[in-house]
Amino acid sequence: MAAGTIRYWAAAKAAAGIAEEPYTAENLADALDAARLRHPGELARVLRRCSFLVDGDPVGTRGHETVRLAEGGTVEVLPPFAGG
C-alpha cells in the first residue's frame, strides 16, 4: 500500500470541493474508488471524463487497476479543458 497525493484540477476540484488530498492505495483504481466514496455525487460523474497523470506520466487507455502507485507519488486528475 502506497501513500501519496491526489491533485484535482478545474471541474474535478470544484466537484471534490478541495484542491488535493492524500491517498493510500496500491493502484489508481483503488485511489479513485476511495475518492468517489469520500466525495459522493458530482465527482463520480466528472471522473468518468478525466484523464490522469501518475507521477507525471499519462495513464492513457491503460486499465486503472494496472497502474501501480508509488510511495510519495502524485495523481493529477485532469478534466477536459476548453480553449487552445
Side-chain angles (χ1 to χ4, degrees):
M1 196 77 66
T5 303
I6 298 177
R7 290 188 185 139
Y8 299 105
W9 297 96
K13 180 179 174 182
I18 55 173
E20 64 180 51
E21 65 184 335
Y23 70 73
T24 303
E26 289 185 30
N27 60 55
L28 180 58
D30 291 344
L32 295 177
D33 286 346
R36 287 181 191 96
L37 289 174
R38 285 190 302 274
H39 310 285
E42 183 64 19
L43 183 62
R45 287 184 287 280
V46 171
L47 289 177
R48 284 189 289 245
R49 299 186 315 262
C50 289
S51 58
F52 304 92
L53 298 176
V54 174
D55 298 329
D57 295 324
V59 171
T61 60
R62 290 182 286 162
H64 293 169
E65 66 282 348
T66 68
V67 179
R68 295 302 224 195
L69 299 178
E71 182 68 28
T74 302
V75 174
E76 306 279 350
V77 180
L78 306 168
F81 292 93

